[in-house]
Amino acid sequence: MKKLALLLTWCVVAGAQTAPRAAVRAIIQELVLANRILANEGVVDAYGHVSARDDRNPNHYFLARHVAAGLVTAADIIEYDLDTNPVGGARTDGYSERFIHGEIYKARPDVTAIVHFHAPEVIPFGVSNIPLRPVFHMAAFLGEGVPVFEIRNSGGVTDMLIRTPALGHALAETLGDKPAALMRGHGAVVTAAGLHVVVGRAYYMKVNAKLQQDAMLLSGGKVTYLDP
Amino acid sequence: MKKLALLLTWCVVAGAQTAPRAAVRAIIQELVLANRILANEGVVDAYGHVSARDDRNPNHYFLARHVAAGLVTAADIIEYDLDTNPVGGARTDGYSERFIHGEIYKARPDVTAIVHFHAPEVIPFGVSNIPLRPVFHMAAFLGEGVPVFEIRNSGGVTDMLIRTPALGHALAETLGDKPAALMRGHGAVVTAAGLHVVVGRAYYMKVNAKLQQDAMLLSGGKVTYLDP
Amino acid sequence: MKKLALLLTWCVVAGAQTAPRAAVRAIIQELVLANRILANEGVVDAYGHVSARDDRNPNHYFLARHVAAGLVTAADIIEYDLDTNPVGGARTDGYSERFIHGEIYKARPDVTAIVHFHAPEVIPFGVSNIPLRPVFHMAAFLGEGVPVFEIRNSGGVTDMLIRTPALGHALAETLGDKPAALMRGHGAVVTAAGLHVVVGRAYYMKVNAKLQQDAMLLSGGKVTYLDP
Amino acid sequence: MKKLALLLTWCVVAGAQTAPRAAVRAIIQELVLANRILANEGVVDAYGHVSARDDRNPNHYFLARHVAAGLVTAADIIEYDLDTNPVGGARTDGYSERFIHGEIYKARPDVTAIVHFHAPEVIPFGVSNIPLRPVFHMAAFLGEGVPVFEIRNSGGVTDMLIRTPALGHALAETLGDKPAALMRGHGAVVTAAGLHVVVGRAYYMKVNAKLQQDAMLLSGGKVTYLDP
């Protein structure tokens, strides 16, 4: 945790131009930073999002309105309940895939932070029969196995997006008790018990995907993975 | 459309230094932004261009003079008719490949925006017998098929450039009713009914090309593509 | 050496924002610059570190406290003895893997600078049976052979980190008299008789790893390596 | 030529911080810009250089002193004769490989600009038996064939550098009448009749190398190259 805090520190110094007001809660400020870091490191682009469970009320969580992560400010953060109803009243500017977050928080009390992303490095594993496995220590958490969510099984032919609570629930079921899952033809979701940790996991999941592909090509598939 | 608008917003904030005057029409301002975004995202480099059909007169379209996309300002935009004659009188500073745009607008009344680009990721698909196919949801539009334009068939041995209306017409014929086409040994053209959409399509066509190559290498070619 | 000094000069001009005070020793200032260069060139990210042996006392060495290399300032540098005890008294903010440095300095009087890094390019060689070899002249130092450290042999199942003097000693034994070693599932360590040289070696070890992989894929493995 | 001028314009606007004084000749100013562009586009890093034949005296040429290309200013430019003697008197701060330039200018009266670079993309072709060939129109000049210089043939076992007029001459002989040559285990040299053109050629030689590798891997080697 201490090391991952450095990543956050780095972002602040390196110039993420957030202007949190004194009254903004620490968790909101950190969520804004998490958005900026993920954008800065190429984990998310104009799409992809990160949420944090409310540390004072585990039945609520925080997620930005539909805006690119690299632009998120404290004013963009929406508070949701676990059915993904905005606590402050109905609004129309949420991410269409916000149900990913609510349904996972509902199913997984141990999870306090979630990233959904489309980094190009992870997509090939979701569309092939090659499991994503940990190649280096920074991605050791992948050693528990990375299930692949097939939206055809629960949603038939769709636009691939998790647009309903039911699809979010199906994704949470595929995730099970693992830290991360791939979504076929779409991207990935990664969870942790901590916002700092989930940012690091998303970043190193991306890096590990590239490493694994490189190692497999280099060696004809004879790769030594991490022990569980 | 709403999501793609975010991409534009992002570009403005992230620092595209355009200085549109009050009198400049919105479509021109957006075309300038589209140029900057495409350069910023590596879809175009010193070469490559984007055009928009005039939203008040479908027989005209807008395209920059021959300048790198990352430098385009409102003052660089030229208005053309569908035969690619400059509306304001003859000039010699148009892109040599401007006929790509006019001939596609003429053949495709549904198209209101076009990008021509050479991003390295797409070139390998134009020079091999591997069809470009959608690997993830952001590139679903490729599911209609991506024809490959072979300039030798209509132009013989050339410098590969679409320097005449006839070559532009031949390219439009290869494109047919599809949203995108590859140009063998040269690049690609992508179309949409909207400037915001075409910018996103060009970007994700580039990303998908990389993804497809990675997924094919990883899996020995056993890739699950999107359903049509 | 002169050429590598240019690399340092470049970093200063390109904007590494260090503010060394007049009283800071030259070796500390150069160590700060080395940290910034390595971060700037992608050799290290939030993790990875570089040390320098004290040029006035070969039984001491300098290494930053646990902070991302891109953020290191002179105030972050800790002086250690070769058993990796902080000279200024006990503290808890050292890198957990600081023993890499002390144990190698102890075993290798010829070494005056060390980099430990996780650049993605080198990892695939540590987890496959493909030796890392010099493909181009900038990485000629790899021609002496690059041993691979297997932590299971000395530490059993661990979190892969060099958290003890004993593990540091085992790594130094694997390194032997070579300039560089890979660490399976983790990263690499590279040494030199000079801080300027070790920065260049870390950078070109990363570049060479990418080159070798590309050359092997391109040619089906028939690569002409440098002569020893 | 006009299009390549745009590339230069772009560099100026995008922020190359050159401060040419009024008295500096245009060719020197352009050579400074060429250095900055090549560094900015990743064609050269801390190493690699570009020269220009004197447009007033074809028996002289201009090349920076040994400084990273991204830092070159007008004050760094040295004037050499074709035997690579500094015109202003002996000095010790030239690039060690300056003989590449003098010997090629001597052998090739048609050449007025030369780039020597180590971009990682081109190295794999120099160390394998795969010829570099033009995949897209921007690299059509490669269609004349790209010979590979083997320094062992003329220099035996060396540090790979072109440190003498004799090695420079041997390289010029391998180059023959072609625009570009690879140097095994080292890099490449590319020439043109114009500084603007040679900058574009170096950049697109790098891009084409990546494209060709990608296309070969994608298609199992069945690539359609440009016609000569």
Side-chain angles (χ1 to χ4, degrees):
Chain A
M1 294 283 288
K2 204 179 282 180
K3 273 194 162 181
L4 280 151
L6 299 177
L7 198 64
L8 285 169
T9 309
W10 169 79
C11 181
V12 180
V13 176
Q17 296 153 344
T18 63
R21 283 157 298 181
V24 174
R25 285 176 53 187
I27 193 170
I28 303 292
Q29 294 184 32
E30 294 206 345
L31 185 56
V32 170
L33 279 176
N35 273 277
R36 301 299 182 96
I37 292 169
L38 291 168
N40 193 59
E41 301 299 329
V43 177
V44 299
D45 56 10
Y47 307 98
H49 19 89
V50 51
S51 68
R53 196 190 285 269
D54 187 342
D55 51 345
R56 297 180 189 166
N57 175 358
N59 293 317
H60 284 187
Y61 71 93
F62 298 106
L63 177 67
R65 70 183 182 87
H66 67 169
V67 62
L71 294 181
V72 167
T73 65
D76 295 315
I77 304 298
I78 303 174
E79 183 174 352
Y80 289 103
D81 67 22
L82 297 194
D83 291 324
T84 305
N85 297 309
V87 172
R91 51 195 300 171
T92 59
D93 60 350
Y95 291 119
S96 57
E97 298 195 287
R98 59 196 179 275
F99 306 103
I100 292 172
H101 302 265
E103 296 301 315
I104 291 176
Y105 287 126
K106 205 185 290 178
R108 290 279 299 275
D110 60 309
V111 166
T112 68
I114 300 170
V115 179
H116 167 57
F117 66 106
H118 310 158
E121 290 87 345
V122 302
I123 308 285
F125 290 88
V127 300
S128 67
N129 56 354
I130 309 293
L132 184 63
R133 296 182 60 188
V135 175
F136 82 146
H137 67 305
M138 303 305 299
F141 70 99
L142 299 176
E144 299 181 39
V146 184
V148 178
F149 176 67
E150 173 49 86
I151 198 169
R152 286 174 189 152
N153 296 345
S154 40
V157 174
T158 63
D159 65 358
M160 311 294 289
L161 300 182
I162 306 296
R163 291 187 181 278
T164 65
L167 286 168
H169 179 70
L171 172 60
E173 287 202 321
T174 295
L175 177 67
D177 63 351
K178 306 300 191 220
L182 292 165
M183 302 157 79
R184 196 268 304 163
H186 180 159
V189 65
V190 59
T191 70
L195 191 51
H196 293 193
V197 179
V198 89
V199 168
R201 284 185 170 180
Y203 174 70
Y204 285 109
M205 187 170 171
K206 177 179 92 109
V207 172
N208 190 87
K210 177 72 167 62
L211 286 183
Q212 183 177 350
Q213 167 142 326
D214 285 350
M216 289 179 71
L217 289 177
L218 185 67
S219 67
K222 276 168 264 161
V223 177
T224 304
Y225 296 98
L226 293 198
D227 292 319
Chain B
M1 293 286 288
K2 204 178 280 182
K3 272 195 163 180
L4 281 151
L6 299 177
L7 198 63
L8 286 169
T9 308
W10 170 78
C11 182
V12 180
V13 175
Q17 294 154 345
T18 63
R21 284 158 296 182
V24 174
R25 285 177 53 187
I27 194 169
I28 303 292
Q29 294 184 34
E30 294 206 345
L31 185 56
V32 170
L33 279 176
N35 273 277
R36 302 299 183 97
I37 292 169
L38 291 168
N40 194 59
E41 301 299 329
V43 177
V44 299
D45 56 9
Y47 306 98
H49 20 90
V50 51
S51 68
R53 196 190 285 268
D54 187 341
D55 52 345
R56 297 180 188 164
N57 176 358
N59 293 317
H60 284 187
Y61 72 93
F62 297 106
L63 178 66
R65 69 183 182 88
H66 68 168
V67 61
L71 293 181
V72 167
T73 66
D76 296 314
I77 304 298
I78 302 174
E79 184 174 351
Y80 289 102
D81 66 22
L82 297 195
D83 291 323
T84 305
N85 298 308
V87 172
R91 50 195 299 171
T92 59
D93 61 350
Y95 290 120
S96 57
E97 298 196 287
R98 58 197 181 274
F99 306 103
I100 292 173
H101 302 266
E103 295 302 315
I104 292 176
Y105 286 127
K106 205 186 290 179
R108 290 279 300 273
D110 60 308
V111 166
T112 67
I114 299 169
V115 178
H116 167 58
F117 65 105
H118 310 158
E121 291 86 346
V122 301
I123 308 286
F125 290 89
V127 300
S128 68
N129 56 355
I130 308 293
L132 184 63
R133 297 182 60 187
V135 174
F136 82 146
H137 67 304
M138 303 305 298
F141 70 98
L142 299 176
E144 299 180 40
V146 184
V148 179
F149 177 67
E150 173 51 84
I151 197 169
R152 285 175 191 152
N153 296 345
S154 40
V157 174
T158 63
D159 66 357
M160 310 295 288
L161 301 182
I162 306 296
R163 291 187 181 279
T164 65
L167 286 168
H169 180 70
L171 172 60
E173 286 203 322
T174 295
L175 177 67
D177 63 352
K178 306 299 191 221
L182 292 165
M183 302 158 77
R184 195 266 308 161
H186 181 159
V189 64
V190 59
T191 69
L195 191 52
H196 293 191
V197 179
V198 89
V199 168
R201 283 185 171 180
Y203 175 71
Y204 284 108
M205 187 170 171
K206 176 178 93 109
V207 172
N208 189 87
K210 176 71 166 63
L211 287 183
Q212 183 178 348
Q213 167 142 326
D214 284 351
M216 289 179 71
L217 289 176
L218 186 67
S219 68
K222 276 169 264 163
V223 176
T224 303
Y225 295 99
L226 293 200
D227 292 320
Chain C
M1 293 285 289
K2 204 179 281 182
K3 272 195 163 180
L4 280 151
L6 300 177
L7 198 64
L8 286 170
T9 309
W10 171 78
C11 181
V12 180
V13 176
Q17 295 153 346
T18 63
R21 284 158 298 180
V24 174
R25 285 178 53 188
I27 194 168
I28 303 292
Q29 293 184 33
E30 294 205 344
L31 185 56
V32 171
L33 279 176
N35 273 277
R36 302 300 182 94
I37 292 170
L38 291 168
N40 193 59
E41 301 299 330
V43 176
V44 299
D45 57 10
Y47 307 99
H49 19 90
V50 52
S51 68
R53 195 191 286 267
D54 187 341
D55 51 345
R56 297 181 189 164
N57 176 359
N59 293 316
H60 285 187
Y61 71 94
F62 298 107
L63 177 66
R65 69 183 183 87
H66 67 170
V67 62
L71 294 181
V72 167
T73 65
D76 296 314
I77 304 298
I78 302 174
E79 183 174 352
Y80 289 102
D81 67 22
L82 296 195
D83 291 324
T84 305
N85 297 308
V87 172
R91 50 194 301 171
T92 59
D93 60 350
Y95 290 120
S96 56
E97 298 195 287
R98 57 196 180 276
F99 306 102
I100 292 172
H101 302 265
E103 296 301 317
I104 291 175
Y105 287 126
K106 205 185 291 178
R108 289 280 299 274
D110 61 309
V111 166
T112 67
I114 300 170
V115 179
H116 167 57
F117 66 104
H118 310 158
E121 290 86 346
V122 302
I123 308 286
F125 290 89
V127 299
S128 69
N129 56 354
I130 309 293
L132 184 63
R133 296 182 61 187
V135 175
F136 82 147
H137 67 304
M138 303 305 299
F141 70 99
L142 299 176
E144 299 181 39
V146 184
V148 179
F149 177 67
E150 173 50 86
I151 197 169
R152 285 174 191 152
N153 296 345
S154 41
V157 173
T158 63
D159 65 357
M160 311 295 289
L161 300 182
I162 307 295
R163 291 188 182 278
T164 66
L167 285 168
H169 179 70
L171 173 59
E173 287 203 322
T174 295
L175 177 67
D177 63 352
K178 306 299 191 220
L182 293 164
M183 302 158 77
R184 196 267 306 162
H186 181 160
V189 64
V190 60
T191 70
L195 191 52
H196 293 192
V197 179
V198 89
V199 169
R201 283 184 171 181
Y203 174 71
Y204 285 109
M205 187 171 171
K206 177 178 93 107
V207 172
N208 189 87
K210 177 71 167 61
L211 286 184
Q212 183 178 349
Q213 167 141 326
D214 284 351
M216 289 179 71
L217 289 177
L218 184 67
S219 67
K222 276 169 262 160
V223 176
T224 304
Y225 296 99
L226 293 200
D227 291 320
Chain D
M1 292 286 289
K2 204 180 282 182
K3 271 195 162 179
L4 279 152
L6 299 177
L7 198 64
L8 286 169
T9 308
W10 170 79
C11 182
V12 180
V13 175
Q17 294 154 346
T18 63
R21 284 159 297 181
V24 175
R25 284 178 53 187
I27 194 169
I28 303 292
Q29 293 184 33
E30 294 206 344
L31 185 56
V32 171
L33 280 176
N35 272 277
R36 302 298 183 96
I37 293 170
L38 291 168
N40 193 59
E41 300 299 330
V43 176
V44 299
D45 57 9
Y47 306 99
H49 19 90
V50 51
S51 68
R53 195 190 287 267
D54 187 341
D55 52 345
R56 297 181 189 164
N57 175 359
N59 294 316
H60 285 186
Y61 70 94
F62 298 106
L63 177 66
R65 68 183 184 87
H66 67 169
V67 62
L71 294 180
V72 167
T73 66
D76 295 314
I77 305 298
I78 302 174
E79 184 174 352
Y80 289 102
D81 67 21
L82 297 194
D83 291 324
T84 306
N85 298 308
V87 173
R91 50 194 300 171
T92 59
D93 61 349
Y95 289 120
S96 57
E97 299 196 286
R98 59 196 180 275
F99 305 103
I100 292 172
H101 302 266
E103 295 302 315
I104 291 175
Y105 286 126
K106 204 185 292 180
R108 290 280 298 274
D110 60 309
V111 167
T112 66
I114 300 170
V115 179
H116 167 57
F117 66 105
H118 310 158
E121 290 87 345
V122 303
I123 307 287
F125 290 89
V127 299
S128 68
N129 56 354
I130 309 293
L132 184 63
R133 296 183 60 187
V135 175
F136 81 146
H137 67 305
M138 302 305 298
F141 69 98
L142 299 176
E144 299 180 40
V146 184
V148 178
F149 177 67
E150 173 50 85
I151 196 168
R152 286 174 190 153
N153 296 346
S154 41
V157 174
T158 63
D159 65 357
M160 310 296 288
L161 300 182
I162 306 296
R163 291 187 182 280
T164 64
L167 286 168
H169 179 70
L171 173 60
E173 286 203 322
T174 296
L175 177 67
D177 63 351
K178 307 298 191 220
L182 292 165
M183 300 158 77
R184 195 267 306 161
H186 181 160
V189 64
V190 58
T191 69
L195 191 52
H196 292 191
V197 179
V198 90
V199 169
R201 283 184 170 181
Y203 174 71
Y204 284 108
M205 187 170 172
K206 177 178 93 108
V207 173
N208 190 87
K210 177 73 166 63
L211 286 184
Q212 183 178 349
Q213 167 142 325
D214 285 351
M216 289 179 71
L217 289 176
L218 185 68
S219 68
K222 275 170 263 163
V223 177
T224 304
Y225 296 99
L226 292 200
D227 292 320

